[in-house]
Amino acid sequence: MNGSPTAAGEAESLRRREASWYEKPSFTVELVIFTVRDQRLQVLLIKRAEPPAKGCWALPGGFLDPCRDESVEACAVRKLVEEAGVRAPYLEQLKTYGSRDRDPRGWIVTTVYFALMASDSVRLGGNQEAVRWAPVRGDGVTFELAFDHARILADAVERLRSKLEYTHIAVHLLPEEFTLPELQRTYEIILQQSLDKSSFRRRVAQADMLEEIPGKLRDGSGRPARLYRFRDYDRQTFFPRSISRHAR
Amino acid sequence: MNGSPTAAGEAESLRRREASWYEKPSFTVELVIFTVRDQRLQVLLIKRAEPPAKGCWALPGGFLDPCRDESVEACAVRKLVEEAGVRAPYLEQLKTYGSRDRDPRGWIVTTVYFALMASDSVRLGGNQEAVRWAPVRGDGVTFELAFDHARILADAVERLRSKLEYTHIAVHLLPEEFTLPELQRTYEIILQQSLDKSSFRRRVAQADMLEEIPGKLRDGSGRPARLYRFRDYDRQTFFPRSISRHAR
DNA sequence: TCTTTTAGTTGCGCAATACAACTATTATGC
DNA sequence: GCATAATAGTTGTATTGCGCAACTAAAAGA
């Protein structure tokens, strides 16, 4: 964007800006799409149809198109629609990965987004056999992934878990209407530990993020649970414990 | 990295990968370098010597060099040395910004890193008049910045504040040896609120991140304060309160 | 109607916290 | 030297929040 303050740096930067032979790194966008199905956290993968790593499972994504894409985020939204056939449940930038050795084709910079969606809202697009949901065990899947995608997935899982600690994003993994036991089970599946019922409900109530849907109930084998809807898609903070609490 | 699953998408992606006329977006790295000086949070800015936005203050940074830079992070480290003349106090990836309209030259993708450093460790490189520390008021500086840098700075300030809530990173804004009152004042300056002394010290003690430097004291106008050193540069977690606490 | 199953609430003991008051150690002015 | 100011650091305590377990509630099915 701008040169370094040294004269040499400026000259070099200027040369690069104007020289058409200057080789830019390639730029791609990839997605880590999570859902919870069959009592497991799952991630959407695509079988690569072209080399390199042909036949390997990989995260969906591809090259940014400066003509069609208004922004990196718009590119991610476009790929979300193309790959998973969904609109915009929850999309957040995860991190950008870029180095000389992560792809045999050379210098590639990749900005990774992670998305959350309810499993029932997914309509997988395109060739069904080249797309799959893979259950997450520990910090990744049980088989090999192309390129550095195992590392990326591990980072995404870690981010998901840590955001669960202090935000409400788990609601985006459920359908629009859900029960508190379902919400708690979602937390437990992802965090891989059971939570205390009364403490969980106290937190949810304190945060005041859900509104009850009057009258409606969802029934299973026991007493039916009340239905709730997520109220505020903008607010994110959840946790009453932070260092600001020391303020006086 | 790979094409979409549809036949049309694959063909298009293949064409792009192989066609040399395909125009990639430009890629740059920029830095938000924070320090605390004169009881204020300050950010390092550079006066642009070239158009566009010539003469405007902007965040330091520049184009990635695929020949010299091993990775995006290595590029950030290089620019940190070039611009601020420091090694590696604390460097973290903030976010990637990319859209058609953020720079008049066209599609530019920028990965922004934010760095923390002690003000006494800074040796500003190059032309002194083109480099300055600017105090942060609210979520930015009091004057205009080039491009979308005001937005980027606001995001960086927000990230810094929120990380202060649950990590130790404020220690990187202080010299290697510091006192607890200095550390607390650093938190207060950035969070813009006063904190309770005994609670603050309890937290620091619980986290067990500092080691006392025996004997040494730093004296001001009253009783001298004990000196401490940061122990562990790797660990990050700070906060005992999280939803995992509901586990049983 | 009795048992099972799941939902949802209540009450209590323990532990963490906020707040305030206290002690400690230096410099400074008389 | 002694009182005072200034800052560092500790201690005590009322309150709050939390984990835990026991309880009630509402459905299905035998």
Side-chain angles (χ1 to χ4, degrees):
Chain A
M1 207 77 107
N2 55 278
S4 83
T6 65
E10 272 183 35
E12 189 172 295
S13 136
L14 189 63
R15 193 195 58 199
R16 280 197 194 122
R17 241 176 291 153
E18 295 179 350
S20 58
W21 53 261
Y22 172 62
E23 201 206 340
K24 301 167 181 173
S26 295
F27 184 78
T28 68
V29 169
E30 287 171 7
L31 290 163
V32 182
I33 306 171
F34 286 119
T35 197
V36 171
R37 297 203 322 168
D38 307 329
Q39 306 290 314
R40 294 203 66 87
L41 177 65
Q42 312 225 14
V43 61
L44 189 80
L45 298 176
I46 298 232
K47 188 179 262 177
R48 288 183 55 78
E50 302 290 331
K54 181 174 177 178
C56 261
W57 291 98
L59 297 172
F63 289 86
L64 178 128
D65 183 340
C67 298
R68 288 159 73 194
D69 298 319
E70 280 298 313
S71 64
V72 176
E73 175 147 350
C75 175
V77 170
R78 176 170 65 84
K79 298 205 173 287
L80 192 59
V81 172
E82 286 175 8
E83 312 283 358
V86 287
R87 248 177 5 99
Y90 179 83
L91 189 66
E92 169 183 325
Q93 197 183 102
L94 174 66
K95 197 179 169 184
T96 295
Y97 299 80
S99 69
R100 193 179 293 147
D101 58 357
R102 54 188 295 274
D103 190 298
R105 284 167 288 181
W107 243 107
I108 294 189
V109 176
T110 300
T111 296
V112 179
Y113 283 76
F114 88 87
L116 304 182
M117 61 180 59
S119 61
D120 66 349
S121 68
V122 183
R123 300 282 173 275
L124 295 182
N127 180 0
Q128 294 295 335
E129 284 167 16
V131 185
R132 68 167 288 193
W133 288 104
V136 173
R137 294 198 178 264
D139 62 354
V141 292
T142 51
F143 48 90
E144 212 169 328
L145 293 180
F147 311 114
D148 55 350
H149 289 191
R151 165 72 194 284
I152 293 173
L153 176 58
D155 287 350
V157 171
E158 189 190 338
R159 167 83 68 93
L160 174 62
R161 294 214 174 101
S162 89
K163 282 215 112 176
L164 241 55
E165 300 282 352
Y166 59 95
T167 72
H168 290 94
I169 56 170
V171 296
H172 301 287
L173 291 162
L174 292 168
E176 205 184 334
E177 300 182 346
F178 54 88
T179 69
L180 291 186
E182 284 167 356
L183 182 60
Q184 182 175 346
R185 230 165 282 133
T186 302
Y187 273 89
E188 291 174 335
I189 287 167
I190 298 171
L191 295 178
Q192 297 180 303
Q193 59 188 350
S194 55
L195 303 175
D196 178 67
K197 185 165 50 167
S198 72
S199 298
F200 182 83
R201 296 170 94 99
R202 214 179 355 226
R203 272 178 87 105
V204 171
Q206 270 172 19
D208 195 34
M209 296 308 255
L210 305 184
E211 59 181 5
E212 196 179 334
I213 303 171
K216 288 202 172 184
L217 295 174
R218 181 168 295 174
D219 51 330
S221 52
R223 169 176 172 178
R226 289 203 251 270
L227 274 179
Y228 292 86
R229 186 186 291 121
F230 187 51
R231 178 179 284 154
D232 185 349
Y233 272 72
D234 292 334
R235 252 197 297 171
Q236 275 241 354
T237 46
F238 190 72
F239 250 88
R241 293 285 142 188
S242 74
I243 202 171
S244 300
R245 283 254 151 174
H246 298 162
R248 46 161 76 178
Chain B
M1 208 77 100
N2 56 281
S4 84
T6 65
E10 272 184 36
E12 187 171 298
S13 137
L14 188 63
R15 191 194 61 199
R16 277 195 195 125
R17 240 176 290 152
E18 295 178 351
S20 57
W21 55 259
Y22 172 63
E23 204 206 340
K24 302 167 180 174
S26 296
F27 184 78
T28 67
V29 168
E30 287 171 8
L31 290 163
V32 182
I33 305 171
F34 286 118
T35 197
V36 171
R37 297 203 323 168
D38 308 329
Q39 306 290 313
R40 294 205 66 88
L41 178 64
Q42 311 225 12
V43 62
L44 189 81
L45 298 175
I46 299 232
K47 188 178 260 175
R48 288 184 53 79
E50 303 290 332
K54 180 174 176 177
C56 261
W57 291 99
L59 298 172
F63 289 86
L64 178 127
D65 182 341
C67 299
R68 288 160 73 195
D69 298 319
E70 280 298 312
S71 66
V72 177
E73 174 148 351
C75 175
V77 170
R78 175 170 67 82
K79 299 208 173 288
L80 193 60
V81 173
E82 287 174 9
E83 312 284 358
V86 286
R87 246 173 9 95
Y90 180 83
L91 189 66
E92 169 182 326
Q93 196 184 104
L94 174 66
K95 198 179 169 183
T96 295
Y97 300 80
S99 70
R100 194 179 291 148
D101 59 357
R102 53 189 296 272
D103 189 299
R105 285 167 288 182
W107 242 107
I108 294 189
V109 175
T110 299
T111 296
V112 180
Y113 282 76
F114 89 87
L116 304 181
M117 61 181 61
S119 60
D120 66 349
S121 70
V122 184
R123 301 281 172 276
L124 295 183
N127 182 359
Q128 294 296 333
E129 284 169 15
V131 185
R132 68 167 290 192
W133 288 105
V136 173
R137 293 197 179 267
D139 64 353
V141 293
T142 52
F143 48 91
E144 212 168 328
L145 292 181
F147 309 111
D148 56 351
H149 289 190
R151 165 73 195 284
I152 293 173
L153 176 57
D155 287 349
V157 171
E158 189 189 340
R159 168 83 68 95
L160 174 62
R161 293 211 173 103
S162 87
K163 283 216 109 177
L164 241 54
E165 300 280 353
Y166 59 97
T167 71
H168 292 95
I169 57 171
V171 297
H172 302 286
L173 292 162
L174 292 169
E176 204 183 332
E177 300 182 347
F178 54 87
T179 69
L180 291 187
E182 283 167 357
L183 182 61
Q184 183 175 344
R185 230 164 282 134
T186 302
Y187 273 89
E188 290 174 336
I189 286 167
I190 298 171
L191 295 178
Q192 296 179 304
Q193 61 187 349
S194 56
L195 304 175
D196 177 67
K197 187 164 47 165
S198 73
S199 298
F200 182 81
R201 295 170 95 97
R202 202 188 314 123
R203 272 178 89 102
V204 171
Q206 269 172 19
D208 196 35
M209 296 309 255
L210 305 183
E211 59 183 3
E212 196 181 334
I213 303 172
K216 287 198 169 187
L217 294 173
R218 181 169 294 173
D219 50 330
S221 51
R223 170 177 171 176
R226 288 203 250 271
L227 275 178
Y228 292 86
R229 185 186 292 122
F230 187 49
R231 179 179 282 153
D232 186 347
Y233 271 72
D234 292 334
R235 250 195 300 169
Q236 275 239 358
T237 47
F238 191 69
F239 249 88
R241 293 285 142 189
S242 75
I243 203 172
S244 301
R245 284 252 152 175
H246 299 162
R248 50 160 72 179

